[in-house]
């Protein structure tokens, strides 16, 4: 976490809200952080913001959870920059079940609000 530029208070906040992170192998966390940077183009400070707001993202399966959610958002024609903005406002979106995410997107689309989405 410090490699991303987190200061001591941010690391403490993340650990306090999700103490089990201390037991995680650092090598298991790196792929998620790298995915946020490589696949979405996030910079370190954006990754820090997402992790501080929702440290549980670091325990999700990249292949079974995170990548499929990103695919769902892209299928709605969100540009990566829009997805980054969504995640900066509400990173828990990636933790929603696929059913919940689809229902939220369907409702917003029916109201003509999908392009203004914050999910």
């Amino acid at each position: 976490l410090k490699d991303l530029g987190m200061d001591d208070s941010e690391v403490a906040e993340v650990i306090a809200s999700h103490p089990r992170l201390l037991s995680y192998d650092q090598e298991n966390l790196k792929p998620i952080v790298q995915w946020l940077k490589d696949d979405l183009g996030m910079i370190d400070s954006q990754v820090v913001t997402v992790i501080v707001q929702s440290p549980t993202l670091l325990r999700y399966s990249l292949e079974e959870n995170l990548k499929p959610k990103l695919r769902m958002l892209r299928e709605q024609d969100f540009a990566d920059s829009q997805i980054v903005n969504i995640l900066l406002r509400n990173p828990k979106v990636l933790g929603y079940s696929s059913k919940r995410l689809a229902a939220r997107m369907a409702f917003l689309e029916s109201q003509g609000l999908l392009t203004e989405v914050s999910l």
Side-chain angles (χ1 to χ4, degrees):
L1 299 176
K2 286 201 161 215
D3 291 346
L4 290 171
M6 281 188 173
D7 62 35
D8 290 341
S9 66
E10 289 170 321
V11 171
E13 183 180 342
V14 168
I15 299 302
S17 68
H18 197 69
R20 288 181 51 195
L21 281 177
L22 290 173
S23 67
Y24 292 1
D25 181 353
Q26 182 178 344
E27 294 305 311
N28 293 335
L29 305 178
K30 284 182 181 180
I32 293 172
V33 169
Q34 202 59 48
W35 173 76
L36 289 168
K37 293 167 75 171
D38 293 346
D39 220 3
L40 281 170
M42 286 187 168
I43 59 174
D44 287 349
S45 62
Q46 291 172 321
V47 174
V48 167
T49 298
V50 167
I51 292 171
V52 167
Q53 290 181 24
S54 186
T56 56
L57 290 179
L58 293 174
R59 68 180 175 96
Y60 293 138
S61 165
L62 192 55
E63 297 300 324
E64 295 176 21
N65 190 313
L66 301 175
K67 286 183 179 182
K69 304 293 174 33
L70 178 59
R71 239 185 333 272
M72 287 178 72
L73 292 168
R74 284 178 171 159
E75 287 170 0
Q76 292 295 319
D77 294 325
F78 285 112
D80 286 351
S81 61
Q82 292 172 301
I83 295 170
V84 168
N85 286 331
I86 290 169
L87 295 179
L88 289 172
R89 283 183 277 160
N90 185 9
K92 294 178 182 180
V93 165
L94 291 177
Y96 291 171
S97 69
S98 295
K99 184 178 178 179
R100 181 178 180 192
L101 182 57
R104 283 184 175 224
M105 288 191 302
F107 172 76
L108 291 168
E109 185 174 34
S110 74
Q111 302 300 307
L113 300 171
L114 195 56
T115 57
E116 302 168 22
V117 71
S118 64
L119 300 171

